[in-house]
Amino acid sequence: MANAEHSVHGGAAAGTAGDGLGRARAVLWLVAAVLAVRQAAAVLRLPPGERLTDLETWIGDDGVLHVTGSLYDTGQFTGTPFAGLVLKPLARSAEQSLGIAWTFGTLLLVVALGLVAARALPGQVSRRTRLLAAPVAISLLMLSLPVRNSFTLGQTSIIPVLLVLLGCLAVRSERGSGVLVGIGAAFQPAILIFAPLLWLTGRRKAAVTSTATFAAGTALTWAVMPGDSWAYWVHHVAGAGLGERADSLANQSLHGALLRFGLQGPLEVGLVLVLAATVVVLGLRRAARYAEDGQLLLAVALTGCVTVAVAPTAWQHQLLWVLLALVGRVGTRARDRLVWPAVVILVMTLPGKMLLPNMKALAPLRENLPLIAALAAACAVPFLTRASPYFDKPVPTEYARPVPSRWGRVPLLPFWKRLLSRPNLLLELLAIRVGYSVYSHIRLVATGGRETAERHGRQIHSIEQALGIDIEHWVNHAVADINWAESFFNFYYTSFHFVIPLTVLGVLYVRRPADYRWARSSLGFATVLALVGFWFYPLAPPRLMPGLGFIDTVHGPQDLTNPDYGALTALTNQYAAMPSLHFGWSLWCGVVIVVLAPKLWMKLLGLLHPLFTVCAIVATANHWVLDAVGGATVVAAGFGLTYLLAGRRELLPRSVVLPAPAKRRGPLVAAEGPGVDQPEKGQEMSLKP
């Protein structure tokens, strides 16, 4: 009976887990479908002259289908002569369907690419991973810049990538594998680098077949289109002189990067050849090693990254190989496993200006992030081999439990685990930068219009008059009459808004990593709530309210008859005033310092920052008093949400084991105390270090 009962309970638990996995899979497929429909709709709803612009090289008035002379006479077509020969029927169908067939054909190619990649994951893959990998892969592809670029422009760059993946991962016949890789190389000559990979991994017949197929396709086009072949291979040096300028930011090859650095002529060519040879040797050796290790998808991705780096031109729609490199496993600890995939996803889905600040010193990094990621994957990132004991079983992460709350339902998200260790610095910096970029973008677009903002300004002014707290005008003019006070508050307003919060986060990261997560989450929630206020309640600050006589001490006199107020509005949203994050962030700093600082003088010093900030925002006429109240409200809500979702800030010591109720040994078990369950042996409270 006991065994039968255990089997029933085990089957029920397995059924529950299976149901949960099925629901998760359905949700992920729904997300992938929504992203696909959204991408197709984003292209098709554009006017005919703005969508599928590269497709115009086929179906436009001067396109391939209508040109009687060479494909390259107009300078628009950048593909190989083989592509021009083979893709004409597809382009003609696209012309007849206004691009609809082309768009949905691209959609099917992306889905096929995701399915092939998901089936080729290395190592021991659990049933959960196997079921969820395909929708996740398709969703990431849909979000990536190369795929979005291919959809918008009507590019064919997904075709050679899919051909290579099928040839290297899906087709078992060496001859069939070589034919697919060779056809891919005929579309994009840099793909021929996969032939040495096939040779190094023992698939020599496939390597020879791929080279022969490429040569046959190229020879066919020389026979059918000799003029076009001469123009592409000789006059334009394998297409290097076609399309945009080679030194444009869109070209993420070594050649493009060196041109952007200012190198020209024989020196640049020689340096490119040396660097390209180095990357090819290192990249192919690493790719062959991982292929022999059984990580074929990683090997293919690394070889693709080599093609990105060494090709004369590597446009954005040709960078899919970098995204595929996220399958490599890096790090011996479980908490480090997400670093490399997260970096790759961020680089391949967000523009460089969102990842790095707009500083001149960082321009070389910001402008070449995809190339840097490709070079790192091909030559430097220490991916684990399957022989490593940490490949399938990394060092587990140590989690802590919050001190029990007064309310039994808190935390509302028990799966929000609390770590004692310090988070990865690179991920934290990227998360802060991306979060701030999103915040700045939403803040900038949430203008609401001048009339609405001024109407809300009059509402706030009236409420303050009714409450007797309309002190802004008096404080503003009093400070403006005292030179040192005006200079001090102007300096404080413009200098410490970012410096002090970042300093507090930095100190917590180094000295109090567990509290760092608590403080960071609270600040994030407060900022998100503030964005809601900016969006739904645009508010003109006192300095931009006509007729009230406020003095803009920071920016100087503003021309209120100009709807844009000069160049100031181009830099920031003038109406993002309610709530005041100047005061909100300063109050967050004060609260964190008061709660965590060990000395009384530190706590008192921490309170000076919000005090000076509230004086500065009012004295400079940048905020109303009620804006500060709004800032305090969102900060309180941020701390409250963190408490509700994750539990109390305090964590149990590592050696403390909470008592568990006694196991039932029969129908009834008598407690050994007055109504209190006693802990079993080995579950007593331990306070030893």
Side-chain angles (χ1 to χ4, degrees):
M1 287 295 294
N3 291 335
E5 183 179 355
H6 179 73
S7 299
V8 170
H9 287 305
T16 303
D19 293 341
L21 182 60
R23 287 192 294 269
R25 187 186 186 195
V27 169
L28 289 175
W29 274 113
L30 178 62
V31 170
V34 169
L35 291 174
V37 172
R38 176 184 175 276
Q39 187 60 58
V43 174
L44 296 177
R45 71 184 177 203
L46 292 174
E50 298 180 14
R51 71 186 183 200
L52 306 174
T53 52
D54 281 8
L55 189 58
E56 289 295 313
T57 62
W58 295 88
I59 65 178
D61 294 337
D62 297 326
V64 174
L65 298 181
H66 305 291
V67 171
T68 56
S70 172
L71 294 173
Y72 306 101
D73 284 346
T74 62
Q76 297 182 23
F77 182 68
T78 60
T80 63
F82 181 84
L85 178 67
V86 172
L87 296 180
K88 272 190 176 184
L90 296 177
R92 187 165 283 109
S93 69
E95 181 182 35
Q96 297 169 355
S97 62
L98 298 178
I100 296 177
W102 191 282
T103 300
F104 281 98
T106 304
L107 186 64
L108 293 177
L109 290 176
V110 174
V111 172
L113 192 65
L115 292 175
V116 173
R119 290 174 60 88
L121 292 177
Q124 297 179 358
V125 179
S126 64
R127 178 173 177 268
R128 174 185 175 186
T129 301
R130 188 170 62 252
L131 292 177
L132 302 183
V136 171
I138 294 171
S139 298
L140 289 177
L141 288 170
M142 290 295 175
L143 290 172
S144 67
L145 290 173
V147 168
R148 284 150 52 191
N149 191 263
S150 297
F151 267 103
T152 303
L153 299 180
Q155 277 287 346
T156 60
S157 55
I158 298 176
I159 295 176
V161 176
L162 181 59
L163 289 174
V164 170
L165 286 184
L166 289 173
C168 294
L169 303 177
V171 177
R172 296 184 178 181
S173 166
E174 288 202 27
R175 180 170 298 176
S177 174
V179 168
L180 290 176
V181 173
I183 295 175
F187 279 105
Q188 188 177 328
I191 296 295
L192 200 59
I193 292 179
F194 281 89
L197 174 67
L198 294 173
W199 184 275
L200 292 173
T201 54
R203 304 177 68 181
R204 298 188 174 183
K205 184 181 293 186
V208 173
T209 304
S210 64
T211 306
T213 302
F214 168 76
T218 304
L220 175 64
T221 55
W222 271 97
V224 177
M225 307 161 61
D228 293 322
S229 298
W230 174 270
Y232 180 85
W233 291 106
V234 179
H235 180 69
H236 292 292
V237 192
L242 296 172
E244 296 184 47
R245 290 170 53 94
D247 61 351
S248 69
L249 294 180
N251 182 14
Q252 287 294 311
S253 67
L254 284 170
H255 175 54
L258 292 179
L259 290 176
R260 287 191 290 274
F261 287 142
L263 298 178
Q264 299 285 341
L267 175 62
E268 188 270 337
V269 173
L271 189 56
V272 164
L273 292 177
V274 171
L275 292 177
T278 304
V279 171
V280 168
V281 172
L282 290 178
L284 287 181
R285 288 182 61 183
R286 281 164 50 88
R289 181 159 63 93
Y290 289 116
E292 293 173 355
D293 187 55
Q295 302 185 61
L296 292 178
L297 179 57
L298 178 59
V300 170
L302 298 189
T303 308
C305 290
V306 172
T307 68
V308 169
V310 304
T313 55
W315 308 116
Q316 189 178 70
H317 53 269
Q318 298 170 334
L319 303 179
L320 270 175
W321 302 110
V322 183
L323 183 63
L324 295 177
L326 64 82
V327 299
R329 303 184 186 184
V330 182
T332 60
R333 296 177 297 184
R335 66 186 181 92
D336 293 334
R337 283 293 172 88
L338 292 178
V339 176
W340 169 248
V343 170
V344 172
I345 291 172
L346 289 174
V347 169
M348 298 311 298
T349 57
L350 298 176
K353 62 184 180 181
M354 289 190 67
L355 298 176
L356 292 175
N358 189 21
M359 300 169 59
K360 187 176 181 179
L362 297 177
L365 291 177
R366 186 175 58 252
E367 295 172 354
N368 300 288
L369 280 176
L371 173 61
I372 293 172
L375 290 173
C379 304
V381 178
F383 299 109
L384 294 176
T385 62
R386 296 178 63 187
S388 170
Y390 304 107
F391 186 84
D392 289 315
K393 296 181 179 180
V395 177
T397 302
E398 184 177 8
Y399 297 103
R401 296 174 60 185
V403 173
S405 304
R406 296 180 181 179
W407 295 278
R409 295 183 179 272
V410 174
L412 298 178
L413 300 180
F415 55 84
W416 186 337
K417 298 181 179 180
R418 305 281 292 277
L419 282 74
L420 294 171
S421 57
R422 190 173 292 110
N424 184 273
L425 180 59
L426 178 60
L427 279 187
E428 289 299 304
L429 293 176
L430 286 174
I432 291 173
R433 173 59 193 173
V434 172
Y436 179 72
S437 298
V438 174
Y439 158 77
S440 300
H441 177 73
I442 296 176
R443 175 188 168 110
L444 188 61
V445 300
T447 56
R450 175 178 178 178
E451 293 184 2
T452 302
E454 290 181 355
R455 184 175 71 252
H456 291 162
R458 289 189 290 271
Q459 291 175 357
I460 293 295
H461 191 221
S462 300
I463 294 173
E464 289 188 353
Q465 286 178 325
L467 296 175
I469 58 174
D470 55 328
I471 61 173
E472 295 90 355
H473 189 276
W474 174 79
V475 173
N476 176 237
H477 281 260
V479 169
D481 290 337
I482 306 173
N483 290 335
W484 68 264
E486 179 182 356
S487 300
F488 172 76
F489 285 120
N490 288 347
F491 174 76
Y492 205 91
Y493 179 83
T494 57
S495 301
F496 296 107
H497 181 42
F498 297 105
V499 172
I500 294 184
L502 290 176
T503 301
V504 171
L505 286 174
V507 171
L508 292 180
Y509 179 87
V510 174
R511 301 294 298 273
R512 307 281 290 269
D515 289 324
Y516 165 81
R517 289 184 169 86
W518 164 76
R520 178 203 57 190
S521 300
S522 302
L523 182 63
F525 284 134
T527 304
V528 170
L529 293 174
L531 288 176
V532 176
F534 298 158
W535 189 273
F536 289 103
Y537 198 79
L539 174 64
R543 62 184 176 82
L544 295 183
M545 287 295 294
L548 296 184
F550 285 97
I551 302 172
D552 189 344
T553 62
V554 175
H555 309 100
Q558 295 292 308
D559 182 10
L560 299 184
T561 62
N562 183 350
D564 294 329
Y565 303 110
L568 195 59
T569 303
L571 301 177
T572 183
N573 179 8
Q574 302 296 290
Y575 303 137
M578 171 61 82
S580 169
L581 277 187
H582 256 84
F583 178 70
W585 287 2
S586 69
L587 181 62
W588 171 87
C589 293
V591 171
V592 170
I593 293 173
V594 167
V595 171
L596 300 178
K599 305 290 185 181
L600 178 61
W601 67 268
M602 296 179 181
K603 299 177 185 291
L604 296 176
L605 188 63
L607 290 176
L608 289 179
H609 180 48
L611 176 62
F612 286 153
T613 300
V614 72
C615 294
I617 63 175
V618 174
T620 58
N622 277 285
H623 285 284
W624 306 94
V625 172
L626 287 181
D627 294 346
V629 176
T633 302
V634 296
V635 168
F639 282 112
L641 279 174
T642 304
Y643 170 77
L644 289 175
L645 299 179
R648 295 179 60 175
R649 178 189 64 83
E650 299 88 349
L651 301 176
L652 290 172
R654 301 187 189 188
S655 57
V656 171
V657 181
L658 290 179
K663 294 182 179 179
R664 294 185 178 272
R665 305 181 186 276
L668 294 174
V669 177
E672 298 183 17
V676 179
D677 289 335
Q678 299 295 323
E680 292 188 295
K681 183 177 180 180
Q683 293 181 321
E684 61 274 359
M685 295 287 287
S686 172
L687 297 177
K688 297 180 180 179

